[in-house]
């Protein structure tokens, strides 16, 4: 990891991958919620407003995916 890299971006991407690979619906929803939280953390840590708004959009998309999951 180099200087000025936001570690939450990689973690959020990994959480999204975990969500897409999940076979259990509750695990899938939880992984999407985790990804959304990590995208928010990445946005809060970002200095560039352009990147921060991109990360917030990713968080909103991840929350939408989590809420679209059928209730267990």
């Amino acid at each position: 990891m180099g200087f000025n890299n936001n570690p939450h971006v990689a973690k959020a991407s990994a959480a999204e991958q975990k969500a897409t690979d999940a076979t259990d619906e509750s695990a899938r929803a939880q992984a999407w919620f985790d990804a959304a939280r990590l995208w928010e953390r990445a946005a809060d840590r970002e200095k560039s407003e352009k990147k921060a708004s991109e990360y917030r959009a990713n968080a909103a998309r991840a929350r939408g995916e989590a809420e679209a999951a059928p209730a267990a």
Side-chain angles (χ1 to χ4, degrees), residues 16 29 31-33 35-37 39 57-67:
E16 285 187 352
W32 278 118
F33 278 123
R37 179 183 53 84
W39 281 121
N58 288 345
R61 179 183 47 80
R63 274 196 196 85
E65 290 286 341
E67 292 166 357

Side-chain angles (χ1 to χ4, degrees), residues 5-68:
N5 284 342
N6 192 332
H8 301 294
V9 173
K11 292 176 184 179
S13 296
E16 285 187 352
Q17 184 62 46
K18 183 177 176 181
T20 57
D21 293 344
T23 56
D24 182 293
E25 286 300 320
S26 63
R28 180 182 165 273
Q30 184 60 47
W32 278 118
F33 278 123
D34 290 343
R37 179 183 53 84
L38 289 165
W39 281 121
E40 282 293 329
R41 290 184 74 183
D44 291 343
R45 194 172 168 132
E46 190 59 50
K47 291 180 173 93
S48 165
E49 190 56 41
K50 181 178 177 183
K51 288 262 189 201
S53 65
E54 177 184 332
Y55 297 160
R56 285 189 185 94
N58 288 345
R61 179 183 47 80
R63 274 196 196 85
E65 290 286 341
E67 292 166 357

